[in-house]
Every structure is written in structure tokens, then in C-alpha cells.
Amino acid sequence: MDFELSDDQLAFQATAQEFAAREFAPHAAAWDAKCHFPKAVIRKAGELGFCGLYSPEDVGGLGLTRLDAAIIFEELSAGCTSTSAFISIHNMATWMIATFGNEATRNHWCPSLTVGEKLASYCLTEPNAGSDGASVRTTAEKHGDMYRVNGSKAFISGAGDTDVLVVMLRTGEPGAKGMSAIAIPTDLPGITYGRKEEKMGWNSQPTRTITFDNVEVPSTALLGAEGEGFKIAMKGIDGGRINIATCSVGTAQAALTAAQQYMNQRRQFGKNLAEFQALQFKLADMVTELVAARQMVRLAASKLDNDHTDKTVYCAMAKRLATDLCFQVCNEALQIHGGYGYIREYPLERHVRDLRVHQILEGTNEIMRVIIARRILEEHAPDAIR
């Protein structure tokens, strides 16, 4: 067991860190304030391979492991949480097309998706189907060599500004077995978008509803086989939970660093804040929780890479632990800054706003607890989860 990063991983980390410091961090506050979607900068990230991290090399991806990707997303999110989270979602949707699409679909989309020339949105959530993904109502009825798609999706990242939608919909019976996945171009007739949502955080990526009204899609756009949509979604979400968790870690690291610097600079009652033992204890707890979250995320990513039997549970544990602990780290960092933490001249309030949604996405943390509890209550499970 080796907890040290390899030379390659250290190189990935350094490249992502330098890119985030140069291209994300100086602009993140303005993107947030203006609700600007920085597509040109995302394209620059694509030039470094960050838009196709774990997609296979034969379609232009880097073919990295999920652990490698987690290390990169952590560094990117220290520069801009919201933009990095969108890039992580784009990576997941691109991987789904690359992994489950037929040759024509892969060749049509993936070379441009993996380099950020085109962008993808992942469409699972509906007004009445969030954490319960198997209850989706959007339908795709087969008519000859076409699918006719009807229904709506909600809270879709990038909607209205991306090029392809990876849509989970119903082609058969109710429940998980009747779900399928289709890659749908965004410019087809019958697709309409709702207004851009006004959100608490994640403001550098647009979020809209999508409505499908008799949208005709070639049957060749199907990902996998009919009825495999839920399986594809769950495989994607395992990785998606790692992505959201590691973005939380990167943001918390940025908040912790800001707090450490502030404590060494700010003077009250004749001495630096760093000299107050109560704040020293607070900082010690923050860094301990951050390191615990980081190691849990990397453990889960390793389990996913090695196709461990309990990979889904580990991904759920990592998502639950990291998003909760890292939100608290950011909140404590804001508290250390006092009134300055509450104003937008400093990044702390943005860190708190951006990380709050991580406790909701990819299944709420209450759902994570259900996944973990069900596994641990199985016979012999306590010996397996160790």
C-alpha cells in the first residue's frame, strides 16, 4: 500500500495546479458575479486533455484512471469550483458516449468532446425524478429507425450552451429495466430550454430545464442496448460521486490555505490570529478533516479503478464524507475571516455557496447513507467493508 503519488500523478497535479492558478482563479469571482459560462477557457482546458481525462485514447481521450482524474479535478477546483464541476460532468458524459456508443456515434462526437471543442450535458434528473433515477418519465418510442422523444429534464448543467445531451429515458417497462440512454444533438427540432436558473452557487455554469416535444432521433444514437440505461447511469454516477467529492476537497484546500494566510496576517488584541490557541485548534481540526476526506476520495477512486465488489459503496462513502467535511472546512474558514469572509472581495463566501450544492448532487447525502447502510446491514458485510 503506497499513499504517495507517482511521478506521472505529480506531473498531472502540477499541470492542473498551474492552469487553475493562471486561467481560473483570477476570473472566478467575475464569472460568479456575472453568471458567465467560460467556454473559451474550458476549450483551453481541453487542449491539455482535461475534457477527456478518462475517455479512451482511441477517441482522443487521455485514458487516465479515476484516481488520476480525481487528483486533477482537485487542483482545478481550487481555482474555480463551478467551472471545474462542469468539466467533471462533461467528462462523465463524454466517457458514456465513448464507452457505450457505437463506432459511428463515438467517432462523430468524441474527438471534439475530448478536446473541449464541443461540450456535453448529462440529463437524468426530472421534475419528479431526482435521486430516484429509475422513475424517469421521459420516453423514447421506436418508429422504424428513429426514436421519438417526449418529456422534460430539470437542473441540467450546461443546458442551452452545449452540443450533445446524454439523456436517460424510458423505452420499456416501468422501473430500472425499462431505461435506456441516447446521445441527442442539441440542435434537433422539438428541443426547447427553460430560463437560466438563478442559483445560490455554481454560477459559472448555466442550469436550465429541457423539454423534448416529438424529437426525432436516429436509433443509432442509442448508447448500449435498450434497457441498459440504468446500468450506464449507475456506472457513470459512481465516477460522478468521486468527481464531486474531489472538487469539494480542492475547494476546501483553497479555503484552508486562505485561512492559514489570514491568521498569519490579521492582528487583533496586539497579536496575530495565529497566536490564539482556540483558532489553532480550529485550524488543526480543519486540516485533519480535509486530509481524511482526500484519502477517502482517493481510496474510493482506487476501488473504482480496480472494479472492487463494493466500489459503489466506497464511492457513496467518499461523496458523503468529503462533501460534508469540506463544506464545514469552508464554513470555518469563512468564520476565521470574520466580516471579511462574508463580503465578495474575498473568495470564502463563494466557496461556501459553491460547495453547498455538492451535498445534494449525484444523490443527496441522505441517499448516500441509505446505500451505505443497506450494504453494511447485509450478512458478512462488516468483514467485507474494511
Side-chain angles (χ1 to χ4, degrees), residues 22-206:
R22 184 182 73 248
E23 300 288 349
F24 283 2
H27 311 292
W31 294 342
D32 174 69
K34 298 176 182 177
C35 296
H36 172 68
F37 187 34
K39 294 174 73 171
V41 179
I42 293 172
R43 202 171 299 118
K44 288 183 180 180
E47 292 171 1
L48 292 174
F50 295 158
C51 288
L53 289 173
Y54 45 86
S55 290
E57 294 179 82
D58 66 340
V59 291
L62 295 185
L64 300 182
T65 66
R66 297 307 178 95
L67 177 56
D68 296 335
I71 293 165
I72 291 169
F73 286 136
E74 178 183 332
E75 297 303 326
L76 292 178
S77 65
C80 180
T81 312
S82 172
T83 305
S84 302
F86 174 79
I87 293 174
S88 80
I89 296 167
H90 167 86
N91 265 269
M92 179 176 70
T94 299
W95 171 82
M96 287 178 171
I97 295 173
T99 304
F100 300 103
N102 59 35
E103 202 64 22
T105 300
R106 296 172 84 244
N107 291 335
H108 177 73
W109 289 114
C110 291
S112 54
L113 290 172
T114 53
V115 296
E117 290 178 1
K118 292 184 178 179
L119 299 176
S121 290
Y122 176 62
C123 307
L124 172 64
T125 303
E126 297 181 0
N128 295 303
S131 297
D132 182 12
S135 65
V136 297
R137 297 180 181 178
T138 298
T139 60
E141 296 180 357
K142 192 78 172 288
H143 295 271
D145 59 354
M146 304 290 286
Y147 283 106
R148 186 172 296 157
V149 179
N150 285 282
S152 62
K153 296 292 180 178
F155 304 125
I156 304 303
S157 292
D161 285 277
T162 53
D163 303 282
V164 62
L165 310 172
V166 175
V167 184
M168 299 298 159
L169 32 65
R170 188 158 307 287
T171 55
E173 63 187 86
K177 293 181 180 179
M179 284 179 58
S180 298
I182 300 179
I184 303 179
T186 58
D187 58 358
L188 293 182
I191 299 177
T192 57
Y193 299 94
R195 66 179 180 86
K196 186 163 72 171
E197 301 288 356
E198 297 179 7
K199 308 190 298 288
M200 174 180 174
W202 271 26
N203 288 319
S204 73
Q205 51 168 293

Side-chain angles (χ1 to χ4, degrees), residues 229-343:
F230 188 77
K231 178 182 71 175
I232 293 170
M234 292 304 100
K235 286 186 175 181
I237 285 175
D238 278 345
R241 287 169 180 159
I242 295 295
N243 294 346
I244 290 298
T246 199
C247 284
S248 298
V249 172
T251 306
Q253 180 66 65
L256 177 71
T257 300
Q260 181 266 340
Q261 293 172 347
Y262 186 79
M263 285 174 60
N264 280 310
Q265 296 167 359
R266 176 72 166 169
R267 293 183 65 81
Q268 289 289 283
F269 303 102
K271 56 184 178 181
N272 287 345
L273 295 187
E275 298 179 55
F276 291 92
Q277 192 174 61
L279 293 181
Q280 292 174 1
F281 286 176
K282 184 187 292 288
L283 201 69
D285 288 342
M286 291 162 65
V287 72
T288 300
E289 290 169 352
L290 176 59
V291 170
R294 177 181 290 120
Q295 295 305 325
M296 183 73 235
V297 170
R298 292 180 180 179
L299 172 63
S302 179
K303 296 289 186 184
L304 189 57
D305 285 330
N306 290 290
D307 198 27
H308 189 276
T309 302
D310 282 306
K311 58 185 181 294
T312 295
V313 179
Y314 277 93
C315 290
M317 288 192 287
K319 194 266 181 183
R320 204 292 299 165
L321 186 76
T323 58
D324 281 350
L325 290 184
C326 291
F327 176 79
Q328 290 302 323
V329 168
C330 290
N331 199 39
E332 293 288 8
L334 186 155
Q335 186 73 21
I336 287 170
H337 280 72
Y340 291 108
Y342 198 67
I343 63 176

